[in-house]
Amino acid sequence: MTHYKEIGLSNTKEMFSKAMEGGYAVPAYNFNNLEQLQAIVTGCLESRSPLILQISKGARKYANQTLLRYMAEGAMEIVNSSEHPIPVALHLDHGDTYELAVSCIETGFSSVMIDGSAHAYDDNVALTARVVEYAHKHDVSVEGELGVLAGIEDAVSHEATNYTDPDDVEDFVKKTGVDSLAISIGTSHGAYKFKVKPGESPPPLRFDILEEIEKRIPGFPIVLHGASSVLPVYVDMINEYGGKLEGAVGVSEDQLRRAAKSAVCKINIDSDGRLVVTAVVRKMLSEDPKNFDPRKYLGPARDELIQMIIRKNREVLGSADRA
Ligand code: G3H
Ligand code: 13P
Ligand code: ZN
């Protein structure tokens, strides 16, 4: 067993209590490869933001869980030897079994999500409580989920949104002992979150549900999944250089700013990073068809991703200068 503290990682407890008090949200960025990891860590170090590095099922399948975990350990050497280190949590995104959560905890993750939202309520409670019991013995944080987001959650695809029922949250938190709760208030995974006509803005999130949840579990950290903004500048760049992302729409930055000021303490962003990398790679390859050196198109993609992360932390989540 490697405990996360041996690698210099932190759990999310203090991150969330500070975020709650300070009225901002900690960014949770997904990584699948070296360039994403470098960009996320550099962007958060430069903006002095706390960071949750998260690893999904897709990432584990693509890059191997052990390799990703050692990449995170390498990144921590850089973080902790920097002039101004930041707290970093290594988090399992959408864990779906007890065994997976245990294997992550045993190899150095400091936080795990157990997503039992596809199960019946009582089964979700039982699975989540079992993970919490094991995780808390090792001082590892646990995120649970109530309600279902439309779109794809790892391999599971849901047609329709099932908003979180505020009547369930108090009971769920009490019975499971989770440290944070992911809720469904209108966001969804991926780059097609809302169907809107050209020129129309996407519908607002269900802040009424969030407010009701805050009343039932005051001061409890809430997590927002599916929170990419699908920034038009990158969608347009992708389409300009041969891509075909029609009707891609995300959560507006105003909505995220409002959420970050509330009990929402963790905001999950994956698709925005993918869009940046794809846009820059398309542009680079199109502008220089002779380029066959991945460093010469992935490097600029990484630089752009750093800038996106700094801007997001500073202007949307409010996490910059909080570390
Ligand atoms: O939960 C959603 C994340 O964006 C992960 O997606 O499994 O394709 O890596 P992925
Ligand atoms: P996006 O697809 O909106 O980036 O959501 C990512 C996420 O929720 C990862 O768990
Ligand atoms: Zn998610």
Side-chain angles (χ1 to χ4, degrees):
M1 160 123 194
T2 306
H3 193 265
Y4 66 85
K5 286 180 188 158
E6 294 166 37
I7 317 171
L9 290 159
S10 309
N11 67 19
T12 59
K13 200 173 280 178
E14 195 178 322
M15 286 187 195
F16 289 166
S17 63
K18 286 185 173 166
M20 184 74 77
E21 209 179 311
Y24 63 92
V26 180
Y29 294 112
N30 289 73
F31 79 101
N32 300 262
N33 64 22
L34 174 73
E35 288 77 9
Q36 285 174 319
L37 177 61
Q38 289 176 312
I40 294 165
V41 168
T42 306
C44 288
L45 275 173
E46 283 189 18
S47 57
R48 297 196 171 186
S49 168
L51 164 65
I52 298 171
L53 269 175
Q54 51 184 22
I55 296 180
S56 68
K57 185 184 237 170
R60 287 184 289 111
K61 197 169 160 201
Y62 174 75
N64 183 291
Q65 182 175 323
T66 307
L67 180 56
L68 290 170
R69 177 261 182 243
Y70 279 97
M71 284 166 69
E73 179 171 346
M76 287 316 295
E77 297 243 344
I78 295 171
V79 168
N80 288 326
S81 60
S82 72
E83 213 174 295
H84 189 101
I86 54 171
V88 179
L90 182 63
H91 175 79
L92 167 66
D93 191 23
H94 294 283
D96 54 357
T97 64
Y98 174 79
E99 291 72 21
L100 172 59
V102 168
S103 91
C104 288
I105 292 165
E106 285 185 341
T107 53
F109 283 57
S110 61
S111 175
V112 292
M113 174 185 195
I114 182 73
D115 180 357
S117 63
H119 299 295
Y121 180 80
D122 288 341
D123 296 338
N124 186 359
V125 168
L127 173 64
T128 308
R130 201 169 158 228
V131 170
V132 169
E133 194 192 350
Y134 182 81
H136 282 183
K137 280 187 199 145
H138 302 282
D139 206 16
V140 167
S141 311
V142 182
E143 174 185 327
E145 178 167 328
L146 268 181
V148 176
L149 276 68
I152 296 174
E153 297 204 32
D154 275 327
V156 189
S157 171
H158 301 280
E159 287 280 305
T161 300
N162 188 354
Y163 295 120
T164 306
D165 184 346
D167 284 343
D168 291 337
V169 296
E170 200 180 342
D171 183 68
F172 186 82
V173 164
K174 206 185 286 169
K175 283 189 179 148
T176 59
V178 280
D179 304 287
S180 63
L181 182 66
I183 60 165
S184 170
I185 56 165
T187 61
S188 58
H189 291 99
Y192 299 88
K193 301 191 190 297
F194 308 100
K195 281 198 178 78
V196 291
K197 299 201 181 89
E200 262 181 21
S201 359
L205 300 179
R206 292 290 303 271
F207 281 98
D208 56 324
I209 298 178
L210 173 60
E211 279 159 22
E212 198 49 48
I213 290 171
E214 289 185 80
K215 277 188 207 150
R216 308 295 179 95
I217 42 173
F220 193 80
I222 300 297
V223 179
L224 214 54
H225 282 247
S228 280
S229 291
V230 189
L231 297 159
V233 57
Y234 300 114
V235 174
D236 292 349
M237 206 192 288
I238 288 172
N239 289 337
E240 186 185 338
Y241 290 99
K244 219 168 186 304
L245 296 184
E246 280 154 13
V249 179
V251 184
S252 83
E253 293 190 337
D254 282 349
Q255 297 276 296
L256 294 173
R257 279 187 199 101
R258 182 173 165 190
K261 289 194 179 104
S262 74
V264 170
C265 291
K266 172 174 179 267
I267 288 189
N268 284 14
I269 298 154
D270 186 358
S271 298
D272 277 344
R274 298 181 188 198
L275 290 166
V276 169
V277 172
T278 304
V280 176
V281 168
R282 276 194 177 279
K283 182 171 188 283
M284 296 304 297
L285 292 178
S286 159
E287 286 179 351
D288 183 5
K290 292 199 172 74
N291 179 0
F292 68 98
D293 183 343
R295 294 170 299 186
K296 292 190 177 146
Y297 51 85
L298 293 178
R302 183 178 61 191
D303 292 344
E304 186 67 26
L305 189 50
I306 293 171
Q307 295 314 313
M308 187 208 74
I309 284 167
I310 293 175
R311 197 187 78 82
K312 228 176 233 298
N313 293 348
R314 283 205 179 122
E315 295 177 18
V316 186
L317 276 68
S319 63
D321 299 319
R322 304 289 193 158

